[in-house]
Amino acid sequence: QVQLVESGGGLVQAGGSLRLSCVASRSIFSLRAMGWYRQAPGKQRELVARITGAGSTDYADSVKERFTISTYNAENTVYLQMNSLKPEDTAVYYCAAESPFGQRYWGQGTQVTVSS
């Protein structure tokens, strides 16, 4: 089982920045990958960013060049640095862990609200 604890959400103005943090009970090296997803009201959950144990990253086109995913602290912590935030970034953001067998584990979610 994988436990994920998220923090860092909040209310910011357009153009501002936030850093989301996720502490996992397992190292990314024992997982296939970790990532961040978002879900806005009335919308489906979508992948925002993903990172593998080897350090490979993927980003949604809408956040490329603005968001950065990274790991720290013996690879048990995953960050999402969000810069140049836009109102359309408003959503609940979820940390996720992907097991070698394809199972996904989710954090509780943290609200990010960007005002115009």
Side-chain angles (χ1 to χ4, degrees):
Q1 187 61 263
V2 181
Q3 293 179 317
L4 305 169
V5 180
E6 303 163 328
S7 62
L11 173 64
V12 298
Q13 292 186 332
S17 299
L18 283 175
R19 187 179 73 168
L20 306 183
S21 299
C22 175
V23 180
S25 60
R26 291 174 60 184
S27 169
I28 191 172
F29 296 119
S30 69
L31 301 164
R32 182 181 298 167
M34 294 187 68
W36 290 92
Y37 291 72
R38 67 173 29 157
Q39 187 166 21
K43 304 289 183 62
Q44 292 189 330
R45 190 171 300 183
E46 65 174 346
L47 175 68
V48 176
R50 180 177 180 268
I51 188 167
T52 69
S56 299
T57 58
D58 293 293
Y59 297 92
D61 288 342
S62 60
V63 307
K64 286 181 178 178
E65 311 302 326
R66 297 190 298 119
F67 292 9
T68 303
I69 188 169
S70 62
T71 62
Y72 196 69
N73 192 24
E75 312 302 336
N76 281 100
T77 304
V78 180
Y79 300 105
L80 184 68
Q81 179 66 47
M82 305 185 294
N83 298 325
S84 302
L85 283 162
K86 305 175 181 179
E88 49 263 46
D89 294 318
T90 295
V92 177
Y93 284 71
Y94 297 89
C95 182
E98 185 179 339
S99 81
F101 305 103
Q103 300 99 326
R104 286 181 180 174
Y105 303 90
W106 301 95
Q108 79 285 353
T110 184
Q111 176 70 46
V112 172
T113 302
V114 184
S115 62
S116 60

